Amino acid sequence: MEALTDWLTAYRLPIGETIADFVDFLNTHAQGGFDLVSDTLEGLVEGATDALLAVPAPVVVVAVTALAWVLQRRIGFTLFAAASLLLIVNLGLWEATIETLVLVLAASVICMVVGVPIGILAAHRPRLNAAIRPVLDLMQTIPTFVYLIPTLILFGLGVVPGLISTIVFAIAAPIRLTALGVSNVPASLIDAGDAFGCTAWQRLWRIELPHALPSIRAGLTQCIMLSLSMVVIAALVGADGLGKPVVRALNTVNIEKGFEAGLAIVIVAILLDRLCRARAKPA
């Protein structure tokens, strides 16, 4: 058995070397394209952050509170939204919270814009669905720190490698749930649409997507939660937001700052999750 182990070790497959050579090749021959993507994404994220920070915090609190009431019509959640945002302002974490919010929303928008069409295609093409399934499994199970290594090399320090890593980690959710929702449309609805002469596009927009909307919305909420789970990890490569005080608190063993920043992350997660959910129907 030892001889077999030694033989297998001596002829180790160069998987890691191949991936490293591929990243080096991209870094050498396509760096201009990565710089363009990095500058564009960084400009958009920083522009959105600056625009939100230019608005006084009380105005944003009032706007989010009003949005909470309009979307949910629940006095308890509306009061919670106002109180929790005022707590973040009181803790001095408003700027970091806005930076985190922009990062999460940017990642979620990109994931939905890319993921929903892929999910629709996967639902209509079983071969494509079978081909991307192991890729999605790999994206969701590989340790998240592994994403940071190539993105850091290709995009440099800053918000962009954190954003790209977050997208890679979270995009599987909208793809899977969109494909699931479209695939589960009852055959009777499809047959009725065909009987009335619907084209493929009309069937998609009028039958399949409306029926799959709850599943697509669930993919959005999962995408937001997965993006928030990457906030601290993204801070390790220079991304701003609530991840930075968490990392600093970890390095200095500062329980106070770490708990406050973690509480702010939880508040953002609860607010985004409830705002994206469908309004509960009265009994």
Side-chain angles (χ1 to χ4, degrees):
M1 296 299 293
E2 290 185 3
L4 178 60
T5 302
D6 293 339
W7 182 82
L8 289 173
T9 304
Y11 295 95
R12 184 172 63 90
L13 295 175
I15 298 176
E17 292 86 342
T18 302
I19 298 298
D21 291 341
F22 177 67
V23 173
D24 290 338
F25 174 82
L26 292 178
N27 193 33
T28 301
H29 296 88
Q31 191 57 49
F34 289 111
D35 289 341
L36 178 61
V37 173
S38 179
D39 294 340
T40 302
L41 291 178
E42 185 174 2
L44 291 174
V45 171
E46 291 183 352
T49 302
D50 293 339
L52 285 177
L53 290 176
V55 182
V59 176
V60 178
V61 172
V62 172
V64 174
T65 303
L67 181 64
W69 172 253
V70 170
L71 293 179
Q72 295 297 329
R73 298 289 181 179
R74 292 162 50 196
I75 187 63
F77 173 67
T78 303
L79 293 176
F80 168 79
S84 59
L85 291 176
L86 290 175
L87 176 61
I88 290 176
V89 176
N90 176 261
L91 295 175
L93 295 172
W94 182 254
E95 182 176 347
T97 300
I98 294 298
E99 292 168 346
T100 292
L101 181 64
V102 172
L103 177 63
V104 170
L105 292 180
S108 299
V109 168
I110 294 174
C111 286
M112 295 302 292
V113 170
V114 176
V116 171
I118 294 177
I120 294 172
L121 288 175
H124 289 98
R125 291 171 172 77
R127 290 185 179 179
L128 176 62
N129 189 30
I132 66 174
R133 190 182 301 122
V135 178
L136 297 178
D137 292 338
L138 179 65
M139 292 165 61
Q140 288 188 303
T141 56
I142 194 169
T144 51
F145 283 98
V146 177
Y147 296 144
L148 299 179
I149 301 172
T151 54
L152 185 60
I153 294 174
L154 296 174
F155 297 101
L157 284 171
V159 68
V160 176
L163 177 62
I164 298 297
S165 299
T166 301
I167 292 170
V168 173
F169 180 65
I171 197 172
I175 294 176
R176 289 184 186 278
L177 288 170
T178 299
L180 178 64
V182 175
S183 299
N184 287 339
V185 176
S188 58
L189 292 179
I190 301 296
D191 293 339
D194 293 339
F196 282 98
C198 287
T199 64
W201 280 104
Q202 290 173 334
R203 186 170 62 243
L204 173 65
W205 286 102
R206 298 181 180 180
I207 299 175
E208 294 176 345
L209 288 182
H211 188 275
L213 188 58
S215 183
I216 296 174
R217 186 182 287 115
L220 173 60
T221 56
Q222 282 199 19
C223 182
I224 291 174
M225 295 303 106
L226 291 171
S227 299
L228 274 170
S229 70
M230 289 287 290
V231 167
V232 177
I233 297 175
L236 296 175
V237 292
D240 294 326
L242 292 169
K244 272 193 173 181
V246 173
V247 173
R248 290 171 182 166
L250 179 63
N251 292 334
T252 59
V253 198
N254 191 324
I255 298 176
E256 175 187 348
K257 294 299 182 182
F259 182 82
E260 290 176 353
L263 178 61
I265 294 174
V266 172
I267 289 173
V268 173
I270 294 174
L271 289 177
L272 289 177
D273 178 67
R274 297 299 187 274
L275 289 174
C276 292
R277 286 187 181 183
R279 185 190 307 175
K281 297 181 180 179

